[in-house]
Amino acid sequence: MRYQSYLVGVKRVLRRFGLIGLALLALALASAPASAEIAVIANRDSPVQSLTTKQVSDLYLGRSRTLALGETLTVFEQPVDSPLREMFFLSLNGMKIKQVNAYWARLRFSGEIMPPQSLSDSKAVIEAVKRERNAVGYIDAAMANSSVRVVLTLKEP
């Protein structure tokens, strides 16, 4: 009898933790980007037709703000704590977000260059890129539309 009541109690605990675990998993999935791809976007009127991963890496690490065309680009990115930003750098050049943050902290301290302008979300990045002719940004690929030009697509690592 005691053994049966013990099993019933264990089943209840497992059921509760199972539901909590399921709820945590659902929350984690809800905060992750909707697709497994990231679109690097440019303004529709920009001379930029496509970019390589090296060019995008150089833009987002401040190594370059111009392309072979001689155009200076304005670079927009996602919030510092965004899961999309983390996925972007992992997909782009294998850098973990701590490495990226440390990299920019060093450069800011030295006064060499400032990081790309951080915006609130993919919608804000799309709007900023639409407004500025020489702008680039990255968004969840599922949000890409005809108001901007996709110049590179990155897959989740």
Side-chain angles (χ1 to χ4, degrees), residues 45-48 59 64-74 133-135:
D45 298 327
S46 170
V48 176
L59 287 169
S64 172
R65 290 287 193 244
T66 60
L67 297 174
L69 305 168
E71 303 271 346
T72 300
L73 298 177
T74 302
R133 182 177 180 268
N134 289 332

Side-chain angles (χ1 to χ4, degrees), residues 113-157:
I113 192 164
M114 293 301 290
Q117 184 178 346
S118 181
L119 300 177
S120 61
D121 58 22
S122 289
K123 287 181 184 177
V125 171
I126 291 170
E127 288 304 313
V129 169
K130 279 179 14 182
R131 280 192 309 271
E132 195 164 330
R133 182 177 180 268
N134 289 332
V136 295
Y138 62 89
I139 59 172
D140 181 337
M143 296 185 70
N145 59 48
S146 61
S147 68
V148 293
R149 176 183 299 135
V150 175
V151 294
L152 178 68
T153 302
L154 300 168
K155 298 198 183 300
E156 184 176 16

Side-chain angles (χ1 to χ4, degrees), residues 38-55:
I38 297 171
V40 178
I41 59 171
N43 183 288
R44 296 283 320 153
D45 298 327
S46 170
V48 176
Q49 297 295 312
S50 66
L51 293 171
T52 66
T53 55
K54 174 150 180 26
Q55 288 172 316

Side-chain angles (χ1 to χ4, degrees), residues 1-17:
M1 207 55 131
R2 280 187 174 174
Y3 183 70
Q4 282 182 328
S5 65
Y6 173 77
L7 286 178
V8 168
V10 168
K11 285 181 182 178
R12 283 186 190 146
V13 169
L14 287 175
R15 214 175 296 133
R16 282 190 187 145
F17 282 116

